[in-house]
Amino acid sequence: MFSSRGLFKDVPCPSKHECTLPNCLFKHEEASVEPKVTSDKSQVHNSTAVRSSESPPPAKRRRLDTPEAIRQNDTYIRQTTIQGKQPPQKVTANVLSHDSQPSSQQAPAYLAHGFSINGSSTIASEKSSTTIRTPASSARANRSDTAAKQPASVTRAVSPPPTSRTQKASSPPPKPYRKPADKRGLNPRQIEQSPVKFETRHAYLKKLHKQIEDANNRHRKDFSTQPELILSKEELETQALDDEERIANAYPNPDTYKNNLAHRLAFYTPKKMTAAIWKDTITTTWLTNPNLATLTFTPQKPIDKAATGLSTEAQEVTVLKHLRTGLHQHAKHGYIIKAPDEKAISAVRALQKSNGHNETCDRCGTRFQVFPGRSDPSGQGRLTTKGPCRYHWGRIPRYNGATRGNFPCCGSDAGTEGCQLADHHVFKVSDAARLASLLQFKETPHHNDGRIRGPIVFDCEMSYTSRGLELIRLTALSWPTHTTVLDILVRPIGEILDFNTRFSGVNADMYLSAPDYGHEGKPPKYGPGEPLQIVASPAAARDLLFDHLDPDTPLLGHAIDNDLNACRIIHPFVIDTVLLYPHPKGLPIRYKLRDLARVHLDRRIQENSGDGSEGHDSKEDSAATGDLVRKKVGQKWEELKRSGWWWKGEMLMPPGAAKGLKGGSSL
């Protein structure tokens, strides 16, 4: 193609009105024909319109730079210009006003033939839909003049509609998400069994923090374009706390603790901590994806379904039987396996009466008096004496009957004044007869309904009342699916002195606003955001739990003796993670569930508020307990497999069983 440069603009077109070229090089004469309008002003279709033989055909449509279609009131209209002295008019799609309708003398011939959106031609009328078009030559001649008179919103360039690809390209990349930092300061975290004194741990912790800080500063230049690989002040402290706590939990012996901590200090030296190792360390510790493009952080890492090496849940339940501990072992570890008789209960009640209900505070050790059921209109010390209680919520571990170290809650020395203040002194009861004097123990009943009851993992939360430490929340999950079967609040028997929120997770607002269980005939949904329902007593909560238990139902828990005592339950089939993961020094020293979850599941629990002040979540604790048991199930299956056990369907067959013989182990 070539440009005409206007050489033929004064030469008449040989085809005259029969020319159909949109950009003809020759001259065309414009004809003026009056529009034909019906007398009744109604719309006339193109099939009934009569075209004058002298009228030229409508000019072929030509794409303009300005938009031709505008959406207004769900009707498409077209905007154009009319050649002549009158400035271009905007014609609406529904009604042409008298001011905007062109006169018959000024309207070109093609106005007599309307152009509808769906392709059918119509004759313009005063109340009919009309589309106005200009010839190509006219549009070409007046384009610049028309653009100058149109609003900027029409004349500016129009971007194409965004597609999925353009939207993805224009959206900013997601911000990498980091795990939250510990903002409690550089004090060693509380653990069950400290290998050395608090002062020694604190000194090593400061050295470790200094070593990590130096490594962080060395690599600032290496990762100047990747700020996510540089730790903040709080993150440096958290990294040091995590490293020291992991070593202290894994190596309770003082010598091995010091040796492994020395190796960790050497790990951050310039010789070993290269830029590549630093990147890998920060990526795997603080970020979950080394690509650093779409990073997400998952606080909890559930066990893989294939971690046990078993193909079905039924097989897991079958292997679970081999982790069972008998009642005689429970009795050896202090479990209550027999309900106290009435003689022992009567003796305890008589002793309490003669003692005047004097108790020893479980938090500060103060001797005080409690008055269950007492009512005082003044509301000042109506249930207990000796005023408020000042205490340390952290406990110093005991070694051979003596305390050693500092309080983990505030780092203060033993014997210093407490860092917390409560309204009442509180106490707890451990004696079986005294527990039974408040609510008698009950064995798990048999059910004859033919229903198969699978394993249950449960956890209880307690609060302090005028009767001791009582049940206030009960949660039960199915195992191994973790489906919630029961999660309720419980009204204790005594008056509440302290909700014990830091450990129970239950506060006054949650307790007082809880609806009654099954209110308005609606069963609990246990979904996100659903309020916990409350039952009238611990006995009512126990009956609801019994509905999911048979005597041969595996009942799983962590330090489950405390939960069983709170519910006053004697159950023959119990699996306790305290016994599955024993402390090297043996009972009564136990690993905390939080520490077991971090070491064996790489999961952080009981950290709802960062500092733990909002307390435990019994559902979270139950799920962690269930996963700890699943890990032991996988290990037990590996032992059985090495011994020659094999599967016949869902039946676990012993090593000597022939292929054709019946038998095996199944739930």
Side-chain angles (χ1 to χ4, degrees), residues 329-628:
Q329 292 177 294
H330 296 163
K332 184 175 61 176
H333 297 310
Y335 289 66
I336 298 175
I337 63 173
K338 184 178 180 180
D341 54 20
E342 289 298 328
K343 183 179 179 180
I345 294 174
S346 299
V348 165
R349 286 174 177 169
L351 181 61
Q352 284 185 273
K353 186 176 181 180
S354 63
N355 189 34
H357 295 283
N358 282 282
E359 307 290 348
T360 300
C361 183
D362 185 46
R363 298 187 292 204
C364 68
T366 300
R367 189 73 174 170
F368 70 103
Q369 191 175 10
V370 62
F371 305 98
R374 181 180 179 181
S375 177
D376 182 4
S378 65
Q380 299 294 328
R382 66 183 183 90
L383 293 173
T384 61
T385 61
K386 300 296 181 70
C389 174
R390 184 172 291 278
Y391 66 99
H392 292 280
W393 61 263
R395 303 294 178 93
I396 299 178
R398 288 182 174 271
Y399 304 93
N400 298 326
T403 58
R404 185 178 69 183
N406 299 69
F407 288 103
C409 51
C410 60
S412 302
D413 296 332
T416 58
E417 188 179 30
C419 58
Q420 302 290 323
L421 185 65
D423 295 335
H424 299 278
H425 294 284
V426 294
F427 69 102
K428 68 178 181 180
V429 177
S430 302
D431 181 70
R434 189 171 175 185
L435 290 172
S437 67
L438 189 63
L439 177 64
Q440 180 59 285
F441 284 82
K442 188 176 181 180
E443 295 183 1
T444 304
H446 290 272
H447 298 278
N448 298 321
D449 53 5
R451 170 182 160 196
I452 298 177
R453 291 167 170 82
I456 294 294
V457 52
F458 93 120
D459 183 65
C460 296
E461 304 295 348
M462 277 73 79
S463 64
Y464 289 106
T465 75
S466 60
R467 301 286 185 174
L469 194 62
E470 288 194 71
L471 176 68
I472 197 170
R473 182 181 178 184
L474 188 151
T475 302
L477 309 179
S478 63
W479 187 92
T481 60
H482 295 344
T483 303
T484 304
V485 298
L486 191 65
D487 193 8
I488 53 175
L489 296 177
V490 183
R491 287 192 177 92
I493 298 174
E495 296 82 6
I496 295 178
L497 300 177
D498 194 321
F499 281 98
N500 198 27
T501 303
R502 176 175 287 277
F503 298 99
S504 69
V506 179
N507 54 48
D509 292 338
M510 182 190 306
Y511 179 83
L512 296 175
S513 62
D516 291 335
Y517 184 85
H519 70 293
E520 300 179 356
K522 298 178 180 178
K525 296 181 179 179
Y526 306 126
E530 292 288 337
L532 295 178
Q533 299 185 5
I534 191 169
V535 297
S537 66
R542 179 177 62 185
D543 291 340
L544 290 174
L545 180 61
F546 276 161
D547 185 55
H548 302 281
L549 298 178
D550 274 321
D552 58 349
T553 300
L555 188 59
L556 291 57
H558 179 78
I560 199 172
D561 55 326
N562 295 324
D563 303 318
L564 293 173
N565 292 347
C567 298
R568 309 297 197 272
I569 293 176
I570 298 176
H571 189 73
F573 195 161
V574 170
I575 295 178
D576 195 344
T577 50
V578 166
L579 302 180
L580 293 180
Y581 298 86
H583 197 278
K585 295 190 175 182
L587 292 173
I589 302 175
R590 304 174 173 182
Y591 282 123
K592 291 185 177 180
L593 180 62
R594 178 187 62 189
D595 298 332
L596 291 177
R598 181 175 300 179
V599 173
H600 298 282
L601 303 178
D602 193 17
R603 181 185 305 178
R604 291 179 176 271
I605 62 173
Q606 301 175 359
E607 296 182 355
N608 294 337
S609 60
D611 60 353
S613 60
E614 293 183 3
H616 302 180
D617 184 347
S618 54
K619 185 178 291 187
E620 179 186 53
D621 292 353
S622 298
T625 301
D627 286 340
L628 286 169

Side-chain angles (χ1 to χ4, degrees), residues 27-49:
K27 178 180 179 181
H28 284 268
E29 295 293 341
E30 299 296 341
S32 179
V33 179
E34 295 183 2
K36 186 174 182 180
V37 183
T38 57
S39 59
D40 59 352
K41 299 182 181 182
S42 62
Q43 182 175 346
V44 180
H45 289 282
N46 187 41
S47 59
T48 60

Side-chain angles (χ1 to χ4, degrees), residues 206-272:
K206 290 196 295 185
K207 292 181 180 179
L208 187 60
H209 174 263
K210 182 64 169 59
Q211 200 81 319
I212 300 174
E213 186 179 25
D214 292 343
N216 190 61
N217 293 331
R218 286 197 307 270
H219 295 297
R220 285 186 182 275
K221 294 182 179 180
D222 299 333
F223 303 104
S224 58
T225 59
Q226 295 176 282
E228 62 274 3
L229 296 179
I230 303 301
L231 301 181
S232 64
K233 177 183 177 181
E234 292 80 7
E235 292 172 342
L236 288 171
E237 294 177 352
T238 303
Q239 183 69 36
L241 288 169
D242 290 345
D243 289 353
E244 192 278 335
E245 183 184 19
R246 183 175 61 254
I247 295 173
N249 279 319
Y251 303 99
N253 182 273
D255 294 333
T256 56
Y257 166 79
K258 294 177 182 179
N259 289 337
N260 283 275
L261 201 52
H263 286 301
R264 194 62 181 175
L265 287 170
F267 175 71
Y268 291 102
T269 58
K271 183 178 180 180
K272 293 187 176 181

Side-chain angles (χ1 to χ4, degrees), residues 4 10 18 107 115 124 143 174 180 186 289 335 450-451 499 503 617 644:
S4 66
D10 295 329
E18 301 297 330
F115 187 88
R143 183 181 302 165
L186 200 62
N289 189 340
Y335 289 66
R451 170 182 160 196
F499 281 98
F503 298 99
D617 184 347

